[in-house]
Amino acid sequence: MALVNENFLKLKQNYLFAEVAKRADAFKAAHPDKKVISLGIGDVTRPLPQACIEAMHKAVDDMSRPETFKGYGPYRGYDFLCDEIAKNDYKARGVDISTEEIFVSDGAKSDTGNIGDIFSKDNIVAITDPVYPVYMDTNIMEGREIKIIPCGEQSNFAPIPPDFHADLIYLCSPNNPTGSVIKKDLMKAWVDYAIKNEAIILFDAAYERFITEDDVPHSIFEIEGAKSCAIEFRSFSKTAGFTGTRCGYTVVPKGLMAKTADGQKTDLNAMWYRRQSTKYNGTSYIIQRGAAAVYTEEGQKQINESISYYLENARIIREGLSAAGIECSGGINAPYIWVKCPDGMTSWEMFDKLLNETAVVGTPGSGFGEMGEGYFRLTSFGSREDTIEAVERIKNNF
Amino acid sequence: MALVNENFLKLKQNYLFAEVAKRADAFKAAHPDKKVISLGIGDVTRPLPQACIEAMHKAVDDMSRPETFKGYGPYRGYDFLCDEIAKNDYKARGVDISTEEIFVSDGAKSDTGNIGDIFSKDNIVAITDPVYPVYMDTNIMEGREIKIIPCGEQSNFAPIPPDFHADLIYLCSPNNPTGSVIKKDLMKAWVDYAIKNEAIILFDAAYERFITEDDVPHSIFEIEGAKSCAIEFRSFSKTAGFTGTRCGYTVVPKGLMAKTADGQKTDLNAMWYRRQSTKYNGTSYIIQRGAAAVYTEEGQKQINESISYYLENARIIREGLSAAGIECSGGINAPYIWVKCPDGMTSWEMFDKLLNETAVVGTPGSGFGEMGEGYFRLTSFGSREDTIEAVERIKNNF
């Protein structure tokens, strides 16, 4: 009989969001009169920038005429998009990334998941706790040894390079779920660690656009030496509201090397190209046109408005909770606020108290790893009105 | 140092299309006066159906308003699309497939490539020769043992169940590159083989829409017992011109099982759901709306017009070549015509002769596997005018 990949059986069932939905639904059924507000969702709610809308209408029309119709596109993505990425996301920040180093995709989740294809099962993988579950689950699926980097209060929830050796390291800054960041000095320490350990950092910068502080790198490639030890993942999901539109990209520097068991150095850019050209057929032309419009003057103005809106929500939550004596962090360079559950409550106790006493839904931190126990994630992706009301309710009840 | 997946080093560089382009470009440079016609391309050229265009305009507008905006969609795809697939592609042909068995994606290439994630490296894989290279390359990447099923003239280039055992079998009907089909009786023999060998058939039906003959199943699930031994891949690429728009889907029947090394049966539908929800974040809402419009009355009319157009091109090529005494097959249920190189020419000799003497570009059959040597692929995706002219030129020169 055909054999399954047994590593799948080692995966934990991720009941987190299902359980959240179940308890919230039960509460709604019992209290049909109460307005439940969700600050649990990790998804955007504001519509796409008008510049993207217009560009996609035009692209749809291109597909309606033989002379402008587009069939299979370039595997790496269209130059009209890659050129804008190279110019705006990198050159503008003093980082030299060429279009041949950029691979457009349907999103950072696919890329952070699929990147494992080019690496051996024998690498030791380092993953933070708390963590975005994709890094953990994809490496369990592939049967790699995983070591944990605990991220707690002492380091403001940022990951500190460990004493142990790792070959592949997943870092996410600004961080989901904690909203913490890796500042410039710490990022430098990570690049040093990777070079010393001949490791590759898999750097997830999906929330880069929320950075407001100067000493937080937007790209790991702002750090000298990073092009010899890092791959970077970016997304239009949170930058421009593309969670349902689907576009992201991955930067694999030319000359970035890993090796075979007998020490032969192998070019990862060429390997990722081979992976993508074999198992992916490019991102929709229409969607790439939409993503390119993010870089127009109007596009930039419009996404900045949305990001500011979400960051203002984050400020309202953060300051409101602090005023109520509830300890929290994040929300300055990220859409996530990481709340310390008061009075020694567990994450789920906090969830139940919040739901039952204020009709506000959040996400228990323990769902993101053991280190998340005793914490709680709130997000700034709701409407202003709901955010203000939720914070008022919490203030009045805690 | 981080270790690479060394299986990548076993991949052959696929120089086929690069070499085709190189020789065609050299010819064009040497003969700027001659009009070169390509019948080599495996990509559609006719614009998207108007129904899809209108649906995508509407979907783009949905993304511009908060009340209709869509964030993350369902992992399996929206019901508005899955329901149409179940109804039109299956129920209408007497096949009972539920929406929970359908997984919408960005295309059949991704799915036929990624499906390997849920299977053990220890399966024996059977692949036809000639073959669409993705099946071969992805299994080389994953380090599986591959056995070849030669498909030659004796069987009209259709694959016959072999004497050897295999655990996973890739079948493609209508076939790329040969244009051959697996008729009902033969498909039944394959299902019997799979059941006897406790194997899984990975059935690629990307060209299903080109079928014109009654005894050719459109879906492997038309064969009794197939739901216990097959996964099916479908695509809107050739059906509706979506090669650059990107949408396809995969059907994994509920209750389809494979096993662990110690014999524990495991549900593949649940495993593929876990794979997709972990490493994929859904297909763009806009694109899914476009795909759903394929199933409207206008959509069906419009795609039928395009398919008829391509099939008429195929008829012109097939009959023209036959009239010139050149043996060929395919082109009746497929957009591909598989030409036997006359006078014992090799595939590349035929390529050069055709290019130099008629300024027509095709694809050497040897690029699809050893059994393709001595054959040549022509496609019907050109314009009517070019197709007629190319055939005239060939007739006058051979």
Side-chain angles (χ1 to χ4, degrees), chain A residues 6 12 109 123 261 274 277, chain B residues 6 12 109 261 274 277:
Chain A
E6 296 192 22
K12 284 189 208 151
K109 184 175 177 183
N123 289 295
R274 190 64 156 100
S277 59
Chain B
E6 296 193 23
K12 284 189 207 150
K109 185 175 176 183
R274 190 64 158 100
S277 59

Side-chain angles (χ1 to χ4, degrees), chain B residues 208-359:
Chain B
E208 161 272 330
R209 198 75 199 199
F210 287 84
I211 295 171
T212 59
E213 294 181 318
D214 284 344
D215 56 348
V216 182
H218 290 239
S219 163
I220 193 166
F221 301 122
E222 293 176 35
I223 308 298
E224 208 186 316
K227 286 182 80 173
S228 72
C229 67
I231 290 171
E232 180 162 290
F233 305 96
R234 293 273 190 112
S235 170
F236 294 93
S237 285
K238 306 299 159 81
T239 299
F242 270 47
T243 53
T245 304
R246 312 301 315 139
C247 196
Y249 65 87
T250 290
V251 177
V252 186
K254 290 253 182 192
L256 179 66
M257 296 284 179
K259 68 174 184 190
T260 61
D262 65 1
Q264 187 187 338
K265 288 196 174 184
T266 308
D267 184 76
L268 294 178
N269 180 289
M271 286 185 76
W272 184 241
Y273 184 87
R274 190 64 158 100
R275 192 274 168 207
Q276 289 297 82
S277 59
T278 304
K279 297 174 85 167
Y280 187 63
N281 226 337
T283 306
S284 177
Y285 168 75
I286 298 164
I287 306 304
Q288 290 193 61
R289 280 286 181 199
V294 166
Y295 297 101
T296 60
E297 203 182 318
E298 315 81 65
Q300 288 292 300
K301 196 168 149 257
Q302 290 154 5
I303 68 167
N304 286 342
E305 277 168 19
S306 279
I307 300 279
S308 299
Y309 181 94
Y310 293 136
L311 280 172
E312 174 64 8
N313 284 350
R315 190 193 62 76
I316 290 166
I317 298 170
R318 213 178 57 238
E319 296 185 358
L321 265 58
S322 298
I326 301 172
E327 223 176 288
C328 60
S329 63
I332 291 171
N333 301 295
Y336 299 118
I337 293 96
W338 193 238
V339 182
K340 186 166 187 177
C341 304
D343 310 324
M345 275 187 288
T346 66
S347 299
W348 278 107
E349 283 168 357
M350 173 87 173
F351 177 89
D352 287 333
K353 183 177 163 70
L354 212 62
L355 178 62
N356 292 319
E357 296 180 11
T358 70

Side-chain angles (χ1 to χ4, degrees), chain B residues 6-261:
Chain B
E6 296 193 23
N7 294 315
F8 272 64
L9 308 182
K10 297 175 196 152
L11 292 166
K12 284 189 207 150
Q13 287 299 330
N14 199 332
Y15 292 122
L16 177 65
F17 289 99
E19 185 64 24
V20 164
K22 194 178 136 193
R23 294 195 194 189
D25 288 346
F27 178 83
K28 284 176 200 168
H31 307 277
D33 53 313
K34 291 216 173 130
K35 183 191 166 193
V36 174
I37 298 177
S38 174
L39 299 183
I41 191 172
D43 194 2
V44 297
T45 54
R46 288 168 64 84
L48 292 187
Q50 196 55 34
C52 303
I53 296 292
E54 285 164 20
M56 289 197 289
H57 275 308
K58 193 166 170 305
V60 169
D61 283 335
D62 286 346
M63 297 304 253
S64 74
R65 291 182 297 259
E67 61 277 19
T68 51
F69 176 76
K70 296 284 183 299
Y72 293 119
Y75 289 128
R76 277 195 314 94
Y78 280 101
D79 280 346
F80 65 71
L81 175 55
C82 295
D83 288 349
E84 293 297 326
I85 291 169
K87 184 177 139 199
N88 294 278
D89 289 345
Y90 293 101
K91 276 204 185 60
R93 297 195 63 82
V95 179
D96 183 31
I97 293 291
S98 73
T99 54
E100 290 73 29
E101 298 175 303
I102 296 165
F103 297 80
V104 176
S105 75
D106 64 299
K109 185 175 176 183
S110 302
D111 289 351
T112 52
N114 293 332
I115 195 77
D117 283 4
I118 65 172
F119 292 107
S120 162
K121 309 305 171 208
D122 296 329
N123 290 294
I124 296 168
V125 176
I127 284 174
T128 62
D129 179 353
V131 73
Y132 174 51
V134 168
Y135 318 146
M136 178 69 82
D137 288 354
T138 56
N139 280 288
I140 292 173
M141 285 176 179
E142 291 164 9
R144 293 198 186 87
E145 183 186 341
I146 296 169
K147 292 192 176 184
I148 297 295
I149 303 166
C151 300
E153 255 173 34
Q154 324 80 284
S155 64
N156 282 322
F157 308 100
I160 307 296
D163 294 331
F164 60 77
H165 167 82
D167 301 301
L168 300 174
I169 304 132
Y170 288 81
L171 297 177
C172 176
S173 170
N175 191 261
N176 177 15
T178 67
S180 68
V181 289
I182 301 176
K183 296 196 173 186
K184 197 158 187 178
D185 288 351
L186 182 56
M187 196 88 89
K188 173 76 170 66
W190 271 112
V191 169
D192 291 344
Y193 171 92
I195 290 171
K196 192 177 146 211
N197 283 271
E198 297 190 296
I200 304 286
I201 295 172
L202 302 167
F203 187 69
D204 186 348
Y207 296 94
E208 161 272 330
R209 198 75 199 199
F210 287 84
I211 295 171
T212 59
E213 294 181 318
D214 284 344
D215 56 348
V216 182
H218 290 239
S219 163
I220 193 166
F221 301 122
E222 293 176 35
I223 308 298
E224 208 186 316
K227 286 182 80 173
S228 72
C229 67
I231 290 171
E232 180 162 290
F233 305 96
R234 293 273 190 112
S235 170
F236 294 93
S237 285
K238 306 299 159 81
T239 299
F242 270 47
T243 53
T245 304
R246 312 301 315 139
C247 196
Y249 65 87
T250 290
V251 177
V252 186
K254 290 253 182 192
L256 179 66
M257 296 284 179
K259 68 174 184 190
T260 61

Side-chain angles (χ1 to χ4, degrees), chain A residues 62-266:
Chain A
D62 286 346
M63 297 304 254
S64 73
R65 292 181 298 257
E67 60 277 18
T68 51
F69 177 75
K70 295 285 182 298
Y72 292 120
Y75 288 127
R76 277 197 312 95
Y78 280 100
D79 279 347
F80 65 72
L81 176 55
C82 295
D83 289 349
E84 292 298 327
I85 290 168
K87 185 177 139 199
N88 294 280
D89 288 345
Y90 293 101
K91 276 204 185 59
R93 297 195 64 81
V95 179
D96 184 30
I97 293 291
S98 73
T99 53
E100 290 73 28
E101 298 174 305
I102 297 165
F103 297 80
V104 176
S105 75
D106 63 300
K109 184 175 177 183
S110 301
D111 288 352
T112 52
N114 292 331
I115 195 75
D117 282 4
I118 66 172
F119 292 107
S120 163
K121 309 304 172 211
D122 296 329
N123 289 295
I124 297 168
V125 176
I127 286 175
T128 62
D129 179 349
V131 72
Y132 174 52
V134 169
Y135 318 146
M136 179 70 82
D137 288 353
T138 58
N139 280 289
I140 291 173
M141 285 177 179
E142 291 163 8
R144 293 199 186 86
E145 184 185 342
I146 296 168
K147 293 192 175 182
I148 297 295
I149 303 166
C151 299
E153 254 173 34
Q154 325 80 286
S155 63
N156 281 321
F157 309 99
I160 306 297
D163 293 331
F164 59 77
H165 167 83
D167 301 302
L168 299 175
I169 304 132
Y170 288 81
L171 297 178
C172 176
S173 169
N175 191 263
N176 177 15
T178 67
S180 68
V181 289
I182 301 176
K183 296 198 172 185
K184 198 160 186 176
D185 288 350
L186 183 56
M187 195 89 90
K188 174 76 170 65
W190 271 111
V191 169
D192 291 344
Y193 172 91
I195 291 171
K196 193 177 146 214
N197 283 272
E198 298 190 295
I200 304 285
I201 295 172
L202 302 167
F203 186 70
D204 186 347
Y207 297 92
E208 162 272 331
R209 199 76 199 197
F210 287 84
I211 295 171
T212 59
E213 294 181 319
D214 284 344
D215 56 347
V216 182
H218 290 238
S219 164
I220 193 168
F221 301 122
E222 292 177 36
I223 308 299
E224 209 187 314
K227 286 182 78 172
S228 71
C229 66
I231 290 171
E232 180 162 291
F233 305 95
R234 293 272 190 115
S235 170
F236 294 93
S237 285
K238 307 296 160 81
T239 300
F242 270 48
T243 51
T245 304
R246 311 303 313 139
C247 196
Y249 66 88
T250 290
V251 176
V252 187
K254 289 252 183 194
L256 179 66
M257 297 286 179
K259 68 173 185 190
T260 61
D262 65 2
Q264 188 188 335
K265 288 196 174 182
T266 308

Side-chain angles (χ1 to χ4, degrees), chain A residues 258-320:
Chain A
K259 68 173 185 190
T260 61
D262 65 2
Q264 188 188 335
K265 288 196 174 182
T266 308
D267 184 76
L268 295 178
N269 179 289
M271 286 184 76
W272 185 241
Y273 183 86
R274 190 64 156 100
R275 192 275 168 207
Q276 290 298 81
S277 59
T278 303
K279 297 174 85 167
Y280 187 62
N281 226 337
T283 306
S284 177
Y285 168 74
I286 297 163
I287 305 305
Q288 290 192 62
R289 280 288 181 201
V294 167
Y295 298 102
T296 59
E297 204 183 315
E298 314 81 67
Q300 288 291 300
K301 196 169 149 259
Q302 290 154 6
I303 67 168
N304 287 341
E305 277 167 19
S306 278
I307 300 279
S308 299
Y309 182 93
Y310 294 136
L311 281 172
E312 174 63 9
N313 283 351
R315 190 193 61 76
I316 290 165
I317 299 170
R318 212 180 58 239
E319 295 185 358

